[in-house]
Amino acid sequence: MRNTRRTLICAVATVGALTSVAACGGGSDSSASGTGGSGGTYTFWDPYPQFDGSSAWGKLVGKCGTEAGVKVKRTAMDTTDLGNKALLAAQQGNAPDVMLVDNPVVSTLVEAGILNKTGDLGLDTKSIQKNILGAGEIDGSSYGVPIGANTLALYYNKKVLAAAGVDPASVKDWNSLTAALKKVKAAGKKGITFSAINTEEGSFQFLPWFWGAGGDLTQLDSAKGVAALSLWKGWVDDGLAPKDVLQNTQTTSWQEFATGTYAFGENGTWQLGNADKAGFDYGVISIPGQGGGAAPVPTGGEFVTVPIQKDSGRYDVTKKIVTCLTSSANLLATDTTLAYVAPTAAVQTDQVKANPELKPWVDAVAAARGRTSGGLGTKYPTISQPMWTAVQSALSGGQSPQAALDAAQKAADKGGS
């Protein structure tokens, strides 16, 4: 369906609100799609400017083009820039052939009418874990193939917990976690650090607690949502979490944990390399739900998507490139490079065999949810922003958790109308 200029401009604003919570910064200029046909040039955009052409990722992209009989011209830029330029390129009729986008952005690009369905292209997604694939599904149709997933869990400092007499296996729910934090504080150490900043990172980090209480994003001000926000506020008020969580990004929150003075740090798969360099023994446990068990956590990661082209004859080669990038052998290598959990059970098994430390992350991804899943789609940004605003207001003491979430729900209702 052809979309109006206004739809695309509105979509650009939406993409801008959905910044990737784990992507590295940087960027480069975009380029127009090349001409079709075997032996031609196919354009490829991704959000990995940290990897140049000599990297394992850069070489894989080139290799997949060679195997498809074409040259791939790769352009890397930060994730927000990529989404915005994709919409503008579609408006101008020169979208790239293949594009990796942060999973919450998929629904925005679909609404703008610029992505092909994987089914229409004959791309096989049957082996993809359903909850991971769901982040790129709209109205029952898939619009991309996940390259991998990352998510959140609790890192813990073994020495700090041992000194406080806390067994990490005893942390099974909110009450036992709070009890552990109190023991740590009494032993002269610090409790837990996380990111509650007023951006998508803050919402991303709050969601496990919100969902872990049984919260529903369409009803922010429910008693369940209030319970989650009250938990965080209680930790800050009681000195079990630092007040600077209000300014912490996930990076600065990690830096606090890496000082070795905190018992727990909420962070992601992407910090595993840094954890190994931290200089102290650590472990990882799932974020607990209010009443026990692992809380649902949000999925991060990118989808390989195929923008709509004027020349539909290009799709046969494009399909070969996408299939190459998402083959089991290449996923194993790629997800190791990107610190992602693979989107298929078979590759996850191989990952854990190679690195047993990934087991808790595979379990966390199995319990994860897409932020735009459940039919939310492009409504998610109109919910997420009021939610992170409520977190800021409550933790700073500006409003009670109930009043803050009441205001958030009103703002979400207005934004979604």
Side-chain angles (χ1 to χ4, degrees):
M1 182 176 66
R2 189 173 298 275
N3 290 273
T4 64
R5 177 183 176 89
R6 181 177 179 181
T7 300
L8 283 164
I9 291 174
C10 291
V12 169
T14 302
V15 170
L18 284 169
T19 56
S20 173
V21 297
C24 296
S28 60
D29 293 333
S30 63
S31 60
S33 177
T35 57
S38 178
T41 298
Y42 277 62
T43 47
F44 181 94
W45 292 0
D46 69 48
Y48 308 142
Q50 68 271 35
F51 299 122
D52 62 19
S54 66
S55 67
W57 170 251
K59 290 178 180 177
L60 174 61
V61 172
K63 172 175 170 283
C64 286
T66 299
E67 291 182 0
V70 297
K71 178 182 178 181
V72 171
K73 182 176 182 180
R74 174 181 169 244
T75 302
M77 62 194 87
D78 72 75
T79 192
T80 302
D81 198 25
L82 189 154
N84 290 340
K85 286 184 176 178
L87 290 161
L88 293 174
Q91 180 184 2
Q92 296 162 0
N94 61 355
D97 292 286
V98 183
M99 182 167 60
L100 261 70
V101 297
D102 194 26
N103 71 71
V105 178
V106 173
S107 60
T108 300
L109 300 181
V110 171
E111 186 175 77
I114 68 170
L115 293 184
N116 282 286
K117 296 179 181 178
T118 56
D120 290 347
L121 296 170
L123 290 167
D124 184 8
T125 59
K126 289 193 278 300
S127 63
I128 304 293
Q129 205 162 286
K130 297 301 181 186
N131 63 324
I132 298 177
L133 188 65
E137 287 183 331
I138 294 88
D139 296 330
S141 295
S142 170
Y143 287 85
V145 183
I147 198 81
N150 56 34
T151 195
L152 297 167
L154 293 181
Y155 288 86
Y156 64 87
N157 185 315
K158 292 183 178 181
K159 184 176 180 180
V160 170
L161 289 187
V166 174
D167 180 355
S170 69
V171 177
K172 298 181 181 299
D173 53 25
W174 290 3
N175 287 339
S176 56
L177 175 56
T178 299
L181 297 178
K182 289 179 178 178
K183 286 184 178 180
V184 168
K185 183 183 178 185
K189 295 294 184 180
K190 300 176 182 178
I192 187 170
T193 182
F194 50 87
S195 171
I197 195 169
N198 57 337
T199 69
E200 179 60 24
E201 290 189 65
S203 290
F204 189 74
Q205 291 241 319
F206 182 61
L207 278 173
W209 311 96
F210 182 86
W211 283 336
D216 184 330
L217 285 172
T218 63
Q219 193 177 355
L220 295 175
D221 57 350
S222 71
K224 296 172 181 178
V226 172
L229 188 49
S230 297
L231 177 72
W232 269 20
K233 179 173 172 56
W235 288 347
V236 172
D237 288 352
D238 294 341
L240 304 178
K243 293 186 182 299
D244 62 11
V245 296
L246 286 162
Q247 293 83 42
N248 270 347
T249 64
Q250 291 180 114
T251 298
T252 56
S253 174
W254 175 261
Q255 290 167 349
E256 284 185 332
F257 178 72
T259 63
T261 58
Y262 282 86
F264 295 96
E266 180 183 352
N267 229 294
T269 328
W270 55 91
Q271 298 291 6
L272 276 171
N274 289 327
D276 291 334
K277 300 173 184 175
F280 55 82
D281 289 337
Y282 72 93
V284 179
I285 58 173
S286 297
I287 295 173
Q290 182 178 24
V297 285
T299 53
E302 284 81 38
F303 275 64
V304 189
T305 64
V306 179
I308 292 171
Q309 303 292 335
K310 292 179 181 177
D311 179 6
S312 60
R314 300 181 68 82
Y315 296 145
D316 286 343
V317 171
T318 298
K319 177 183 174 182
K320 292 178 182 178
I321 296 171
V322 175
T323 300
C324 174
L325 288 170
T326 56
S327 69
S328 292
N330 288 333
L331 280 176
L332 182 60
T334 296
D335 290 333
T336 298
T337 299
L338 300 176
Y340 280 165
V341 171
T344 68
V347 180
Q348 288 173 3
T349 298
D350 290 338
Q351 285 183 301
V352 173
K353 285 180 181 177
N355 182 7
E357 291 180 358
L358 285 175
K359 182 62 169 65
W361 295 104
V362 169
D363 293 342
V365 165
R369 299 178 185 174
R371 284 165 278 172
T372 58
S373 297
L376 285 182
T378 55
K379 294 179 183 177
Y380 175 73
T382 69
I383 296 168
S384 178
Q385 185 166 353
M387 182 166 63
W388 80 55
T389 300
V391 170
Q392 286 266 310
S393 181
L395 267 56
S396 66
Q399 291 179 295
S400 69
Q402 182 69 67
L405 288 171
D406 284 343
Q409 186 59 49
K410 289 178 182 177
D413 289 340
K414 183 178 179 180
S417 62

